[in-house]
Amino acid sequence: METLLALILVPPLLGAALNGIWGRRFSRPLVAAAGCGAAGLSMVMALLAASAYTRAASTAPWIHTYFTWIHSGTFHADFALWYDRLTLVMTCTVTVVAFLIHVYSVGYMEHEGGFYRFFCYLNLFLFMMLLLVTAANYPLMFVGWEGVGLCSYLLIGFYFAKRSASDAGKKAFIVTRIGDAGFTVGVALLFWSLGSVDFSDVFGRVAALPPGEMQGTLTAVGVLLFLGAVGKSAQIPLYVWLPDAMEGPTPVSALIHAATMVTAGVYMVARSNVLYAHAPLALALVAATGGVTAFFSATIAVCQNDLKRMLAYSTISQIGYMFLGCGAAIFASGIFHLMTHACFKALLFLSAGSVMHAMSGELDMRKMGGLRRRMKTTWLTFLAATLAISGIPMFSGFFSKDEILAAAYNGPLGRHWLYWLGTVTAGLTAFYMFRGLFLTFHGPSRVPPELEPHVHESGRLMTGPLIVLAVFSVAAGYVSWPRALGGQEAFDRYLDPVFAASQEFVRSLVAAPAPGRLTNFSLMALSFVAALAGLGAAYWLYLASPGLPGRLAARVGWLYRLVANKYYVDEIYNALIVNPIRVASEKLLWQDIDAGLIDGGLVEGAAEVAAEVGGGLRRLQSGNIRSYAAWVLLGAVVWFGYVLLNR
């Protein structure tokens, strides 16, 4: 197992090194082979490790220390990897989805510059995410945590000659650093209070605490760690970087939204489930932040006309659902939705990339329409993903989303208002997703005449991954057939060894009756009705009465402008935070301190004094030998006088 686990990590790191160092000399097929081969080999090793762990029939985590990484005083951190059923789910999900995105990228980036650089970054991104989910301690997790942040900066700003892309990369890097500061302080507080940062030590010591013991400290740690998750997973108030991240190549968007970066925060909270179970206030914050973010970003997605930005706000909303499930102390539901979301969100972005490829980069849905007749594969796969994310029965999102909503209503820390908020969000999700489907693929063609001759279906390298992901988007939910429909929720039971102790502890604190089958079925029916209402509204507004949305927008102009402009959050941040910092930096730090005090006062002042002293001393250097002899004689007389006086 120690060899298999290491071999999950090594191929993408090796692929990044090969393309990063020698990729400029490689042909494009060789670059693609190295990049895709590394991702494929990592996927194979992840599946082999999953098979080996399953055959061992063990539920205990497998931990292996490879070498001592940091040792300073009482602080100790090893390069150690942790493997349990949660790691198994994450490594398989990440590697399978990432491999399909790598293959798709070969076709998508075929005519782009920096081909070798793109696959170098993509492989490095995969390595960092795998390091994050296999780390056995918080410092090593933080290396992967910061690594995915670095790779997101490199990939979002891949088109660095384009100002908007480079700005988007910097924005992502800076905003996520705010959250990472909280993560760092949280780990430091954890070490200060418990004396360790290893998962086995931390979780064991916290689990042994009686109820209420160290609750204040653990709540502070949980909130600080969650601040890191808020930045990395783009939740309120640090979500503003993710929509701008659409400036990167579309496969990057698929990788960030589906298998890496934004899911890192959800994994961290789930991995720290024992800690959060002993900090119910921190869990309440997780649930409330997730529920409010899910609803808030869904309202913004309703009015987006850019296809990729609509999907970006959709991701923010769906990640909110995951945090809602974790915050209700049903951590398996959050991870289940993470897995299904990885499939249908990767499919949505890659389908959008196929549309973008056919439309010569155009993303405005108002300039599309009728594409299903010329892009049947892309249309069918996008339809499958739309049905899944909308929670339509028998598609994967239906199973995972409804499990979260049931947790929000009946879970030990569930809150009814969060369930209703999540149900309304489900209706909004169906509305904006079918709105995107209808505007892009249905109705009359609105494609500009100059683009019309170029519209075509993508090649097999792009449509192949779409078909595979479409199958996953349909089938992934069946691994956990819900109890409300007579199933056993096998996925939850599989993860019981990881989460059972923390859930039992939470239930011991909160007396809650076990939900009946009828109750869960009713909740499921309500969310389905909400999804149908959203679908019906989208059909009515964008297919049956296509002129109605414009009239409605004109009637409620101020509300439409408010939502279409994303509630002016970026403008508010610019006015209250960015511009004051910029002004203070320019006026105080640059003009007054740097130019005025340092350059004008210290540096230039010192130079002027040196120049004056040098000018005076220069007069002594006349070049006259008799003058030099006189100065030597004078010096000798002064010296001897000093010696005689001090005898």
Side-chain angles (χ1 to χ4, degrees), residues 348-405:
L348 285 169
F349 269 108
L350 297 186
S351 297
S354 181
V355 171
M356 188 178 176
H357 192 262
M359 295 284 294
S360 301
E362 180 61 64
L363 282 168
D364 192 335
M365 294 183 287
R366 294 169 298 184
K367 298 179 181 179
M368 298 179 188
L371 295 183
R372 76 181 190 279
R373 291 184 290 272
R374 301 172 71 174
M375 303 181 69
K376 290 185 179 179
T377 301
T378 301
W379 166 60
L380 286 172
T381 54
F382 194 94
L383 174 62
T386 300
L387 292 167
I389 195 174
S390 300
I392 302 302
M394 305 303 107
F395 288 82
S396 61
F398 164 76
F399 300 103
S400 56
K401 173 182 64 65
D402 280 287
E403 189 173 303
I404 287 174
L405 292 176

Side-chain angles (χ1 to χ4, degrees), residues 398-571:
F398 164 76
F399 300 103
S400 56
K401 173 182 64 65
D402 280 287
E403 189 173 303
I404 287 174
L405 292 176
Y409 194 88
N410 289 315
L413 293 181
R415 290 163 178 82
H416 291 181
W417 71 272
L418 285 174
Y419 163 77
W420 291 112
L421 194 63
T423 301
V424 173
T425 303
L428 291 173
T429 302
F431 174 78
Y432 68 70
M433 285 307 309
F434 277 97
R435 171 182 178 265
L437 177 75
F438 295 150
L439 285 176
T440 303
F441 294 100
H442 293 262
S445 175
R446 300 177 300 278
V447 178
E450 64 273 15
L451 294 180
E452 188 72 43
H454 303 290
V455 176
H456 62 283
E457 184 61 273
S458 302
R460 291 183 180 179
L461 280 174
M462 295 172 65
T463 56
L466 296 183
I467 294 170
V468 175
L469 286 169
V471 173
F472 289 158
S473 296
V474 176
Y478 288 85
V479 301
S480 194
W481 192 266
R483 287 191 176 91
L485 298 179
Q488 297 297 319
E489 294 181 352
F491 187 84
D492 290 31
R493 289 193 298 107
Y494 182 76
L495 291 179
D496 266 349
V498 181
F499 302 127
S502 59
Q503 290 179 359
E504 283 299 321
F505 181 82
V506 170
R507 289 191 180 96
S508 70
L509 299 178
V510 183
R517 179 176 176 180
L518 180 61
T519 303
N520 281 344
F521 185 82
S522 300
L523 298 176
M524 185 178 292
L526 283 172
S527 67
F528 176 50
V529 169
L532 282 182
L535 191 162
Y539 178 84
W540 178 44
L541 290 172
Y542 294 97
L543 285 185
S545 305
L548 187 56
R551 295 195 296 272
L552 287 175
R555 183 171 298 179
V556 292
W558 66 271
L559 180 60
Y560 176 78
R561 287 192 298 273
L562 180 67
V563 178
N565 287 285
K566 302 160 285 187
Y567 299 102
Y568 298 99
V569 172
D570 279 294
E571 289 79 2

Side-chain angles (χ1 to χ4, degrees), residues 246-265:
M246 299 303 97
E247 293 290 342
T250 301
V252 173
S253 302
L255 193 59
I256 290 176
H257 290 247
T260 59
M261 191 131 169
V262 295
T263 61

Side-chain angles (χ1 to χ4, degrees), residues 34-171:
C36 295
L41 187 57
S42 181
M43 178 186 69
V44 170
M45 293 303 164
L47 295 175
L48 289 175
S51 175
Y53 185 79
T54 302
R55 287 199 309 271
S58 172
T59 59
W62 181 90
I63 308 166
H64 184 73
T65 299
Y66 293 86
F67 56 85
T68 297
W69 176 36
I70 304 173
H71 186 79
S72 177
T74 58
F75 183 85
H76 185 87
D78 293 320
F79 187 93
L81 301 182
W82 174 293
Y83 197 89
D84 61 3
R85 292 185 174 186
L86 176 57
T87 315
L88 183 153
V89 171
M90 291 300 299
T91 52
C92 290
T93 301
V94 170
T95 54
V96 169
V97 173
F99 172 67
L100 293 172
I101 293 172
H102 275 71
V103 173
Y104 176 95
S105 299
V106 177
Y108 187 88
M109 301 294 292
E110 184 179 6
H111 303 295
E112 297 284 352
F115 192 74
Y116 75 95
R117 184 165 49 89
F118 179 81
F119 278 95
C120 168
Y121 297 162
L122 219 58
N123 277 174
L124 188 62
F125 208 167
L126 175 58
F127 166 76
M128 289 298 181
M129 187 62 187
L130 289 171
L131 181 64
L132 189 156
V133 300
T134 56
N137 54 63
Y138 283 104
L140 191 58
M141 174 189 276
F142 191 64
V143 173
W145 189 272
E146 289 297 284
V148 294
L150 169 65
C151 294
S152 70
Y153 163 74
L154 295 171
L155 285 165
I156 293 168
F158 180 77
Y159 301 121
F160 56 85
K162 186 180 176 185
R163 177 65 182 270
S164 59
S166 61
D167 285 350
K170 288 183 286 187
K171 184 176 182 179

